[in-house]
Amino acid sequence: MADGVGTWNVLEWTQVTTPKHGLEKFLLEAEDVIVHKTGVVLLNTDEAGILAVTNFRLLFVSRASKCIIELGTIPLTTIEKITDDVKLTSVPRNSEKRELLQVIGKDMRVVTFAFLPKTMQRSAVMDVLKRYRKPVQLWELYAFQCDPSKFKNSNPKLRLLKEYYRFFGKRLLHLPEDESYIISNDRWRMTTINSNYTLCPTYPSVLVVPKSISDEELLQAASFRTSRRIPVISWCNPGSGAVLARSSQPRVGPFMSSRNHSDERLVAGLCSSSADSSASRRKLYIVDARPIANALANNVKGGGSESSSNYFKSEVVFLGIDNIHVMRESLSRLREYVDTHGTTSSDGTSSFLRNGGSTWGGGNLSSMSGSASTLGDTGWLTHVQNVLSGAAWIAARIALESASVLVHCSDGWDRTTQLVSLASLLLDPYYRTFKGFQALVDKDWLAFGHPFADRMGIPTVTDLATSTSTEMLTRQSSMGNASSSPLHSQSGSNLAGARGGTNHNQASDNISPILLQWVDCVFQLLRLYPCAFEFSSRFLVDFLDAVLSCRFGNFLCNCERERQQAGISEVCGCIWIYLSDLRAIGGRSHEHFNLFYDPSRHEGPILPPAAALAPTIWPQFHLRWACPSEAHASEFESMWRTMNKKYSETSKAKELADSKAKDLESKTESLSEELRKEKQKSSSALATVNRVRRENLAIKRAVQSLGCRVNLSTNQSHTSSDLMASTYSDDPSDRSPHDLSVSISAIEDAGVVSGGNPLSRVCESMCPFRTKDGCKWPNEQCAQLGSQFVGLKADFGAFENLSIDDQYFHS
C-alpha cells in the first residue's frame, strides 16, 4: 500500500468544518444524516471522502469519484462491533497522525477509517454509532420510518396457510374471516388451538398435527416440552405419508425418569399410516441435533432427550452440532482469517507484503499446509459440513425408508430450524424455486419462531402479561449455560432490548450467525447441484444483506406473536417484494436467476452422499470485501451470463423485428386486398359501360327506326362512358338524370317519300303492309321491324331513367 502522504496532504482543513454535506442525492427514502465528517480516509483502499452516519447506515462517499464506496457503507444493524483501539499489523508512515476507527460487520467485512488528528471527528462518529447502532426501542429502526406502500407486505398468516394447503393438495386464494379455512385428510389436520398463542407463545397460530390427536392432548403434551414447543408437522409427503416434524427437548429430568403419555401418543401419531391408531406404524427416527454430552448435561436442568423404549418403533440419533456460542466464535475466526490473508486487509496492507513476505496464509512458504490448517482452525467449514450431513441423513430416511423423523435440539428454534428447513429443501423441489424458498423461510424460520431479534442483537417487544421468567430463561439456555447470563428485566415498560428486557451483555451473548450458516449450507448444495436451483448465489447474498440491514419488517422480533403485536406487516416493507422488484428489472437475465437451472433434471429429492458434502469457502459472501476480484462468479459463469444477456438482447431484437415484419405483411395483405377490390370495381364498371353502350346503340337504332333522330348531350363535361355509367348505374344515388339532355326529332315524310332514305325505298319495294296511301306505321305493322331487329334485346326500362321534356319534340 502507498504510505498515504499524498492523500493527506491534499486535504484542506476547511473541509472539516463545512456545514453542508451535499449527500442528498445518495440518501434513501426517509434517510437523514445525523453527523458527517469530511477528510476521512478509508484505510482499506487509502481513499479519502465524506463519512456520514444516518438513521440507517454508515455512509462513505469518495471525494474523487463522488460515488458511494460500497466497502465503507454498511447498515447500522449489520455492524457487530466498533472500536477505536486499533493495532495495525503493518504500520505505514505518518500513521501516528491518524486517529483510527475500526468497524466489524456481521457480513464478514472489517473496515478501518482514519480521521484527521485533533479534530474530534472520531469521537463525534463514535458517539453517534453507539447511540444508533443498537436502538433502545424497536420502532427506532429505519424499517419503521419508511413508507411501507412501496414494498407492501402481504398477510404472513395467509402465506403460511397457503403452504399448509399445498401439503393437502389444495389451494387457498384469500383468508376467510372465520375458521372455515381449517381442513384435514385421513392422516393430518389443521388446528387453531394456538390462535391466541396460549398453547405455545413462539409457535404460529395454526398448526398441522396428526388427525388422531385431540386438542386436549396437545395441551397436555405442551407441559412436557421446553418452551411448550410440542412435536408438530413441518413437512409431509402426501404419497408415502412420512412426515418431518419438529419440537423442543422433552423434560425428562435427571435419570430420564419423567414421562408424558400425551406426548408419547402425539409422537406415535407422527408415524401412523392413517388416523386409525391401531393401523400399522412406520419407523420413527428422533434426531437430537446436539452432541450427546450436551443432551445429558441438560438432564440436570430438567431437559434431556427421549428414551427409545418409551416411543414405539423409534430410534434416537445424535448429530453433534454445537451451540450458538461456538458458531459465533467460529465465524469471528473466519472473518479474521479472511481479513488477514485477503488481497487487501483492513489496515490497507496486502497479505503478500505482510511480514516481509516470509509467510503466506499463516504458515511458512515452504509448507503450504499452514494456510489450510489456519482455515481449518476457524472450524466454520466443519460446522457447515455437520449441518449438511445431518440434513442429508434426515432426507434420506424419509425418501428411502418412508420413515418419519422428529427433530429437536434444546429449544427447537436454532439447530432444529436449520436441519428441518435444509432437509425440506433436499426433499421438495418446490423449495428450490424463488416462491418455494420464500415459503420455506416464512414457515420454518419466521412462523416457528427463530429468535431473529436475539440473534441479530436488535430490540423487540415483550408482552409482560404472557412472557414468564421461565420462558425468558429458556431463551438464554439456547445452548449453553443459562446461569452464565442472568436476566435483568426493565420495569414499567413493555418495550425491551434483546428478548424480554435483557441487558447489553446478554444481548451480545445471544448474537449468533445461525441464519447465515444455513444460507451457507444452501450455497454448498447449489454448488453441488447447479441445475437444481432456480436462484443463484447472488440472490442468497442479497437476501442475507437485506436481512442483516433490518430495512424490512419480515425478520424483526423473535416470533410471529411479537410481530403481530408490533403490527410489523402493516407498518414495514416486505423483503420478498423488494427482491422480486430487483429481479423484475433485469428479467430472466438478472443475476438472481441461475443460468443452469433445469427442473427436469431434479424433479424429486436430492440425496447427496456423505463423501460429496465437503464444503468450501463461499466466495461471493466470505471473500467479497477482502478479495473482491476473487469473490466474483467464476470466469465460465461470467462468460455464460454475458453470452446469455447478449442472446436475450438479440432475442428481443428479433422479436421486435418479427413483430414489425408481421405488421408490414399485414399491411401489404390489406393493401393487396384493397387493390383487388378496386380491380373488381374497375372491371365491373367497365362491363357496365360496355353494356350501357351496347344498349344505348340499340335504343338509338330503335328510335331511328321510328323515323326519329336522337341527340344526347350533357350539361357537364362527362365522357360518354361516364354518362352511360351514371345513367344506368345500379345505385340510384349515382344517377343524375338532370345532367342528360336528349333531343328526338321526327324525320320529315317528304324525305322518306322522296326516296332520300334508303330504308324508304326498301319499304316501297318490299314491305307487304304498305298501301297506295303510303306507310301506315306505327298504326299498322312494319316489315322492317319484324325482320331487321328480330332477336334484339334492349333494356327498354332505361327509358324510364331518361328525362325527356315535351319541348324537345317539334310540332
Side-chain angles (χ1 to χ4, degrees):
M1 183 195 76
D3 57 16
V5 175
T7 303
W8 287 91
N9 288 342
V10 298
L11 296 177
E12 298 180 3
W13 289 97
T14 54
Q15 292 177 317
V16 180
T17 57
T18 302
K20 296 182 180 180
H21 52 70
L23 301 175
E24 289 80 5
K25 64 179 181 179
F26 303 112
L27 300 180
L28 301 174
E29 174 196 7
E31 185 179 13
D32 299 319
V33 175
I34 302 171
V35 64
H36 75 283
K37 299 299 176 182
T38 58
V40 181
V41 172
L42 179 60
L43 201 59
N44 302 59
T45 58
D46 196 26
E47 189 165 11
I50 301 176
L51 181 66
V53 181
T54 73
N55 56 338
F56 172 56
R57 56 184 170 170
L58 189 65
L59 179 65
F60 185 76
V61 178
S62 170
R63 189 171 64 92
S65 64
K66 309 298 183 184
C67 297
I68 292 179
I69 303 302
E70 189 177 3
L71 174 63
T73 300
I74 177 172
L76 299 181
T77 56
T78 307
I79 298 175
E80 183 174 315
K81 181 181 179 182
I82 54 174
T83 178
D84 56 0
D85 184 16
V86 184
K87 295 181 176 59
L88 302 181
T89 57
S90 179
V91 182
R93 187 170 45 169
N94 295 329
S95 63
E96 67 278 0
K97 297 180 181 180
R98 312 182 185 188
E99 294 183 353
L100 304 180
L101 175 65
Q102 191 173 75
V103 178
I104 301 174
K106 302 170 188 175
D107 59 352
M108 296 295 294
R109 88 176 87 190
V110 181
V111 293
T112 303
F113 296 100
F115 299 86
L116 293 172
K118 302 178 182 179
T119 59
M120 299 300 290
Q121 286 185 322
R122 184 179 67 175
S123 298
V125 172
M126 278 279 291
D127 292 342
V128 174
L129 284 177
K130 288 179 179 179
R131 166 66 183 87
Y132 286 91
R133 184 171 66 89
K134 291 186 176 181
V136 178
Q137 296 181 346
L138 175 65
W139 27 84
E140 291 180 358
L141 292 171
Y142 174 72
F144 287 88
Q145 302 172 34
C146 300
D147 182 7
S149 61
K150 185 176 181 180
F151 305 110
K152 187 172 179 57
N153 206 336
S154 59
N155 191 329
K157 183 177 181 180
L158 177 60
R159 297 202 299 265
L160 177 63
L161 289 176
K162 285 184 176 181
E163 182 60 12
Y164 283 165
Y165 267 61
R166 193 178 69 89
F167 293 165
F168 289 90
K170 299 183 179 181
R171 294 183 62 187
L172 179 66
L173 300 179
H174 63 279
L175 184 62
E177 295 182 359
D178 55 11
E179 295 185 359
S180 60
Y181 56 82
I182 301 301
I183 58 175
S184 64
N185 59 19
D186 60 342
R187 295 189 180 110
W188 318 300
R189 69 181 180 92
M190 293 167 57
T191 176
T192 57
I193 188 175
N194 198 42
S195 58
N196 294 323
Y197 305 103
T198 54
L199 172 72
C200 175
T202 57
Y203 264 4
S205 59
V206 182
L207 304 171
V208 178
V209 297
K211 190 174 183 179
S212 59
I213 304 300
S214 65
D215 286 350
E216 290 74 15
E217 289 177 298
L218 295 178
L219 287 170
Q220 294 170 6
S223 61
F224 188 64
R225 294 282 170 170
T226 301
S227 301
R228 301 178 63 84
R229 294 173 67 89
I230 61 173
V232 293
I233 296 173
S234 176
W235 183 84
C236 50
N237 187 327
S240 66
V243 302
L244 176 58
R246 60 183 297 166
S247 71
S248 62
Q249 66 179 347
R251 296 179 178 274
V252 296
F255 310 108
M256 302 177 67
S257 56
S258 299
R259 296 181 61 179
N260 184 294
H261 293 293
S262 296
D263 182 80
E264 292 172 11
R265 275 182 45 80
L266 175 56
V267 173
L270 299 175
C271 51
S272 297
S273 300
S274 66
D276 185 3
S277 58
S278 62
S280 61
R281 296 179 181 176
R282 67 185 76 245
K283 180 70 177 290
L284 172 68
Y285 290 96
I286 300 176
V287 177
D288 193 326
R290 302 166 293 181
I292 187 171
N294 293 26
L296 294 175
N298 272 274
N299 285 352
V300 180
K301 296 180 284 186
S305 191
E306 296 86 349
S307 171
S308 58
S309 61
N310 297 333
Y311 296 88
F312 183 73
K313 294 186 68 173
S314 66
E315 180 180 344
V316 180
V317 180
F318 293 91
L319 298 183
I321 301 174
D322 288 310
N323 60 32
I324 63 171
H325 311 296
V326 175
M327 302 304 176
R328 180 178 63 246
E329 296 303 321
S330 177
L331 182 67
S332 178
R333 290 193 296 270
L334 177 64
R335 180 173 53 218
E336 181 180 355
Y337 167 78
V338 170
D339 177 60
T340 302
H341 303 294
T343 303
T344 302
S345 69
S346 56
D347 63 6
T349 304
S350 172
S351 60
F352 294 102
L353 303 178
R354 189 173 290 109
N355 298 322
S358 60
T359 62
W360 184 86
N364 192 281
L365 284 176
S366 61
S367 175
M368 297 300 288
S369 62
S371 62
S373 63
T374 303
L375 177 61
D377 287 344
T378 67
W380 181 258
L381 298 183
T382 302
H383 298 314
V384 170
Q385 185 179 31
N386 289 342
V387 176
L388 279 170
S389 300
W393 188 91
I394 293 170
R397 301 287 76 76
I398 296 176
L400 301 180
E401 300 181 17
S402 294
S404 291
V405 179
L406 171 63
V407 184
H408 70 74
C409 49
S410 295
D411 296 288
W413 49 50
D414 288 311
R415 288 165 284 192
T416 299
T417 301
Q418 287 179 322
L419 291 169
V420 170
S421 55
L422 201 59
S424 299
L425 194 77
L426 291 169
L427 289 166
D428 196 337
Y430 172 69
Y431 292 137
R432 302 193 284 269
T433 65
F434 285 111
K435 290 184 178 180
F437 184 84
Q438 173 185 340
L440 180 65
V441 173
D442 279 342
K443 173 173 63 72
D444 281 317
W445 288 87
L446 295 171
F448 278 97
H450 175 69
F452 282 101
D454 289 355
R455 299 299 172 258
M456 293 192 293
I458 58 176
T460 185
V461 294
T462 303
D463 188 352
L464 298 181
T466 57
S467 293
T468 62
S469 59
T470 302
E471 180 188 346
M472 289 188 285
L473 284 171
T474 59
R475 282 283 183 192
Q476 298 303 318
S477 69
S478 170
M479 334 67 342
N481 191 351
S483 61
S484 65
S485 301
L487 289 170
H488 300 277
S489 60
Q490 295 179 349
S491 59
S493 175
N494 284 347
L495 301 174
R499 192 58 187 174
T502 58
N503 62 14
H504 173 74
N505 293 331
Q506 281 182 307
S508 299
D509 194 50
N510 283 333
I511 294 175
S512 187
I514 301 302
L515 178 67
L516 190 158
Q517 187 179 55
W518 178 76
V519 178
D520 196 340
C521 292
V522 176
F523 161 74
Q524 304 298 336
L525 293 176
L526 173 60
R527 180 179 59 86
L528 285 175
Y529 302 97
C531 299
F533 295 83
E534 185 182 15
F535 46 82
S536 66
S537 174
R538 182 64 196 182
F539 167 77
L540 298 176
V541 172
D542 288 347
F543 166 71
L544 271 179
D545 285 345
V547 173
L548 294 175
S549 71
C550 295
R551 182 181 174 184
F552 307 97
N554 305 66
F555 297 88
L556 302 181
C557 303
N558 285 320
C559 59
E560 179 183 282
R561 176 182 61 88
E562 293 182 359
R563 283 186 288 274
Q564 182 175 324
Q565 180 181 345
I568 297 294
S569 61
E570 288 81 18
V571 298
C572 297
C574 178
I575 187 175
W576 306 119
I577 303 299
Y578 165 73
L579 294 173
S580 177
D581 288 351
L582 285 182
R583 294 194 299 274
I585 295 174
R588 295 295 302 182
S589 61
H590 192 272
E591 57 187 355
H592 283 184
F593 285 92
N594 178 16
L595 297 175
F596 308 104
Y597 178 55
D598 184 3
S600 62
R601 296 186 58 180
H602 300 282
E603 295 178 345
I606 293 177
L607 303 176
L613 297 175
T616 64
I617 273 189
W618 181 7
Q620 289 82 8
F621 186 81
H622 294 144
L623 302 181
R624 58 176 169 163
W625 307 118
C627 309
S629 59
E630 289 75 14
H632 295 160
S634 65
E635 183 178 357
F636 175 72
E637 183 177 347
S638 299
M639 292 175 61
W640 182 287
R641 192 172 293 279
T642 302
M643 292 175 60
N644 187 70
K645 184 177 181 180
K646 291 181 179 179
Y647 175 78
S648 178
E649 293 174 351
T650 304
S651 298
K652 290 181 180 179
K654 181 178 179 298
E655 290 177 0
L656 182 60
D658 290 343
S659 177
K660 290 182 178 180
K662 288 181 179 180
D663 290 342
L664 291 176
E665 184 179 356
S666 177
K667 291 179 180 179
T668 302
E669 291 178 355
S670 178
L671 291 174
S672 299
E673 180 65 19
E674 291 180 2
L675 181 60
R676 187 183 64 82
K677 292 180 179 180
E678 289 297 328
K679 286 182 177 179
Q680 289 180 349
K681 290 181 179 180
S682 176
S683 300
S684 177
L686 183 60
T688 301
V689 168
N690 292 333
R691 178 175 57 85
V692 169
R693 185 172 62 247
R694 290 194 301 269
E695 292 177 354
N696 178 57
L697 291 175
I699 294 171
K700 186 176 181 180
R701 293 173 64 183
V703 173
Q704 287 177 349
S705 68
L706 300 178
C708 300
R709 182 181 292 106
V710 180
N711 294 318
L712 288 88
S713 63
T714 59
N715 297 332
Q716 298 179 2
S717 57
H718 294 292
T719 64
S720 61
S721 61
D722 293 336
L723 178 62
M724 296 299 179
S726 175
T727 304
Y728 297 102
S729 173
D730 293 334
D731 187 356
S733 62
D734 293 338
R735 299 170 184 168
S736 302
H738 298 288
D739 294 336
L740 176 65
S741 297
V742 181
S743 62
I744 301 176
S745 59
I747 301 174
E748 295 181 359
D749 292 339
V752 178
V753 175
S754 63
N757 189 342
L759 292 177
S760 298
R761 291 195 295 268
V762 173
C763 287
E764 292 175 355
S765 61
M766 297 180 60
C767 182
F769 305 109
R770 187 176 181 86
T771 66
K772 62 181 180 178
D773 296 329
C775 182
K776 299 296 184 178
W777 189 88
N779 296 324
E780 299 293 341
Q781 298 182 24
C782 178
Q784 186 174 349
L785 289 176
S787 59
Q788 184 178 352
F789 294 99
V790 172
L792 174 65
K793 294 182 180 179
D795 187 3
F796 293 102
F799 285 107
E800 298 177 0
N801 298 324
L802 296 176
S803 176
I804 304 176
D805 297 332
D806 293 340
Q807 64 183 355
Y808 293 154
F809 294 92
H810 298 284
S811 59

